[in-house]
Amino acid sequence: MMKITIKHRYTDKTIITGKYESTKDCLEKNRDADLGDAYLGDANLGDAYLRGAYLRGAYLGDADLGGADLRGANLRGAYLGDAKNYTESHDFINEIVSREKIDTFTTSEWSIMGQIYCHKLCWDSIQKRFGKKIIPIFKKLAKSGFDEYLNKIKEE
């Protein structure tokens, strides 16, 4: 057990403090807490169960989100730049896509993104259904700093 303290990213006020196995353990046990504007930079949140967590405005720069369950998590206004291993989260892609200007994507591309999000399509289904049509979307997201999707689709 180690002492974990999560602070407000602007005021430095303590939001949560206590003894936990890890930052992931702390967040899972306090999932219902208001973690808005929490500083979670560099946190290893791999496989964290954060369904429905209130992370509005949280700083997630350099956080490892590999396998994190963010379904229903409020990420509105959260700093997501430099986050890592986010390709399996439909909520993450929904948040970053919703931040793009409406003219960033064509009507067809918006339709594709809507299908991916609404139907929670896996990578296999995305490739089978959309083929190369998905690449321009991921190239645009890469220009916004989210290149893991483009890298993932190229691997597949």
Side-chain angles (χ1 to χ4, degrees):
M1 296 283 250
M2 64 178 106
K3 184 174 182 181
I4 302 285
T5 301
I6 296 177
K7 296 187 174 202
H8 191 280
R9 71 188 271 205
Y10 300 116
T11 66
D12 210 34
K13 180 181 173 189
T14 298
I15 298 172
I16 297 171
T17 190
K19 294 208 179 254
Y20 300 94
E21 294 295 324
S22 63
T23 303
K24 171 189 154 189
D25 179 47
C26 173
L27 291 176
E28 287 178 336
K29 288 181 177 168
N30 292 284
R31 198 167 35 93
D32 295 331
D34 180 350
L35 297 169
D37 293 323
Y39 180 84
L40 300 170
D42 297 316
N44 182 352
L45 304 177
D47 298 320
Y49 181 79
L50 298 173
R51 186 181 294 190
Y54 186 85
L55 298 168
R56 185 177 185 134
Y59 181 90
L60 294 167
D62 288 321
D64 184 342
L65 301 172
D69 185 345
L70 296 169
R71 280 179 278 183
N74 185 335
L75 298 171
R76 181 89 43 203
Y79 176 78
L80 304 173
D82 301 319
K84 300 176 199 110
N85 300 317
Y86 48 77
T87 58
E88 301 305 318
S89 172
H90 288 87
D91 293 289
F92 192 93
I93 196 168
N94 184 53
E95 181 60 31
I96 62 171
V97 166
S98 70
R99 294 178 184 191
E100 295 293 330
K101 293 180 180 173
I102 194 81
D103 59 354
T104 300
F105 303 110
T106 66
T107 302
S108 176
E109 290 170 341
W110 278 114
S111 175
I112 290 169
M113 293 309 302
Q115 290 177 59
I116 290 170
Y117 182 72
C118 289
H119 298 289
K120 309 287 188 217
L121 299 177
C122 66
W123 284 102
D124 238 12
S125 297
I126 290 169
Q127 281 199 303
K128 285 178 187 170
R129 186 175 288 207
F130 306 113
K132 295 187 185 290
K133 292 180 195 173
I134 197 71
I135 293 175
I137 296 170
F138 291 152
K139 282 183 176 178
K140 291 172 184 177
L141 292 177
K143 284 182 182 176
S144 294
F146 299 97
D147 62 350
E148 286 189 28
Y149 297 111
L150 185 59
N151 296 336
K152 176 85 173 177
I153 205 75
K154 286 179 179 178
E155 286 174 14
E156 301 285 322

